[in-house]
Amino acid sequence: MSYLESCPQKQRPARNLQKFYPDQLVERVLRIKNEAEQLADEQETLRVWLTQLQPWGDFKLPKSRDLGNLYFFFYRLDRRQIMQIIETELAYLIINRDLRCFYVLILSNQEPGLPFPSLEVPTLSTSEIRVRLEDVEDGLEMSETRRIGATRFIEPLRDYLNQALDASELNLATQMAHDEQVLFIVQCWCPEIQLPALENLSRELSLALTIEDPIRGEQPPTLVKNSGWLATGESLIDIYSTPAYESWDLSALVYISFVFFFGIIIADAGYGFVLLLFAWLLRPKLLANGHRLANLFPSWLRVQDFTAYCPENISEWMRKICP
């Protein structure tokens, strides 16, 4: 389902569902997805091969029997290593070179006994790889076209999958129950606050009821229940993940911290309020450390009164804010 929903281009929803066959559609979508993934992997491999063969040029490796059981060995060597090749009696040819490496081809009937390994090159030539790459890219475009066509049935397919999931859960619940003509057994989880109601129901229906605490290793479902303003914190927790059964309920802490930090981040007034609070609390110490340092805070307070002075009276305004 996510494969269709993540498609960047979608067709309009299908209105006539007479030709909607969910089982066949699911099988077709899975086949399209598998083909697209295989083609994408092959495309990446072919591009790597083209990069590897670029310094060597376009060539086709001959068969060993056509060369009298001789083989080609490819090496990418630095200046020190190429000197070692020159000092040997091996038949070699420098195919290409760049600022750092020499691309050397050695012809021998066995692996040369060199202290550095040879390179593994593709058996296809550069031109053959390009042809195959074009075919792969055409196949990817065709797969994407079929994928776009299948997006017409996203909504009915989602409903079908939800029904299948409900049926699977019902089947699982049926497997957890033991039903006979004279005996019916059900095992389930129950919140503690619902235990009195369950006990009353068992007495009314004359049912046998056994209540057990979760044992170590079990993972009961978590019931998080808050009222009032704490319910908002519970909603914030549910956005990320419901806490585990043995974890704490952090609804209150999340609510308070979220509101506090969100207010600080969004509005600069939050920073100003915190600085004002600290400055007011530390005012006695600032006064004790010297008049010049302490004036930082009252000067800030006087700046807030800028609008109370007439702009024409510049000298008086400056004397009031900067004594």
Side-chain angles (χ1 to χ4, degrees):
M1 191 65 197
S2 60
Y3 178 68
L4 294 181
E5 292 178 340
S6 61
C7 184
Q9 182 180 354
K10 300 181 178 64
Q11 288 190 343
R12 62 176 180 83
R15 300 177 181 178
N16 185 5
L17 300 181
Q18 294 181 354
K19 297 182 179 180
F20 173 64
Y21 304 103
D23 294 334
Q24 299 179 6
L25 179 61
V26 170
E27 182 179 355
R28 181 160 62 94
V29 171
L30 291 177
R31 185 169 60 252
I32 294 173
K33 181 181 179 182
N34 293 333
E35 291 177 357
E37 290 177 349
Q38 293 176 2
L39 290 174
D41 293 340
E42 185 177 359
Q43 181 188 42
E44 182 65 23
T45 301
L46 293 174
R47 289 176 175 175
V48 173
W49 285 358
L50 284 178
T51 303
Q52 293 177 348
L53 291 178
Q54 183 177 2
W56 302 97
D58 190 1
F59 64 92
K60 177 68 175 179
L61 283 176
K63 297 181 180 180
S64 60
R65 64 173 179 267
D66 297 335
L67 298 174
N69 292 327
L70 294 176
Y71 301 91
F72 287 109
F73 298 93
F74 299 83
Y75 292 89
R76 184 174 61 238
L77 309 175
D78 55 25
R79 294 183 179 275
R80 179 182 58 82
Q81 293 171 337
I82 192 63
M83 294 304 298
Q84 298 182 24
I85 296 291
I86 296 175
E87 295 174 355
T88 64
E89 297 180 356
L90 295 172
Y92 71 93
L93 177 64
I94 299 177
I95 303 297
N96 199 353
R97 61 176 299 182
D98 52 29
L99 296 178
R100 298 179 56 186
C101 300
F102 293 83
Y103 297 88
V104 180
L105 174 65
I106 295 179
L107 184 63
S108 177
N109 58 357
Q110 61 182 358
E111 180 76 25
L114 298 174
F116 32 84
S118 60
L119 301 177
E120 293 185 4
V121 297
T123 57
L124 300 177
S125 64
T126 302
S127 57
E128 291 174 339
I129 293 176
R130 289 197 177 99
V131 172
R132 178 55 188 167
L133 183 59
E134 292 180 359
D135 295 339
V136 170
E137 291 175 347
D138 292 341
L140 284 173
E141 292 180 359
M142 294 178 60
S143 298
E144 188 67 15
T145 301
R146 294 196 296 267
R147 177 189 180 187
I148 295 174
T151 58
R152 298 185 57 197
F153 301 98
I154 286 181
E155 293 299 330
L157 183 60
R158 181 185 292 110
D159 296 337
Y160 169 77
L161 293 178
N162 289 335
Q163 295 175 3
L165 181 61
D166 293 341
S168 176
E169 292 179 351
L170 177 60
N171 184 34
L172 179 61
T174 303
Q175 294 178 359
M176 296 178 62
H178 181 73
D179 188 9
E180 294 184 359
Q181 294 182 355
V182 295
L183 181 64
F184 180 84
I185 301 175
V186 175
Q187 184 180 14
C188 63
W189 299 105
C190 179
E192 291 184 1
I193 59 176
Q194 298 294 335
L195 287 179
L198 183 60
E199 292 174 347
N200 294 332
L201 179 63
S202 64
R203 284 193 295 266
E204 293 176 2
L205 300 179
S206 300
L207 300 176
L209 176 63
T210 301
I211 301 175
E212 299 178 352
D213 293 332
I215 62 177
R216 182 181 297 273
E218 289 185 329
Q219 294 295 330
T222 305
L223 175 62
V224 180
K225 189 173 181 60
N226 296 279
S227 58
W229 60 272
L230 288 179
T232 306
E234 179 182 333
S235 301
L236 293 174
I237 292 178
D238 291 338
I239 293 176
Y240 301 98
S241 177
T242 304
Y245 176 73
E246 298 179 353
S247 300
W248 293 352
D249 183 6
L250 302 177
S251 301
L253 179 61
V254 170
Y255 176 79
I256 295 174
S257 60
F258 182 85
V259 172
F260 179 73
F261 288 107
F262 186 80
I264 290 179
I265 294 173
I266 294 301
D268 290 339
Y271 293 104
F273 175 77
V274 174
L275 294 175
L276 176 63
L277 179 62
F278 275 98
W280 182 261
L281 295 176
L282 298 176
R283 181 179 174 85
K285 293 185 177 181
L286 294 176
L287 291 173
N289 291 333
H291 178 72
R292 185 172 298 177
L293 181 61
N295 277 339
L296 290 175
F297 180 62
S299 297
W300 178 84
L301 289 180
R302 286 193 291 272
V303 170
Q304 310 309 309
D305 299 328
F306 283 171
T307 57
Y309 302 97
C310 179
E312 290 81 8
N313 195 354
I314 299 296
S315 59
E316 182 181 0
W317 178 69
M318 291 296 293
R319 285 196 301 269
K320 287 186 176 294
I321 66 172
C322 299

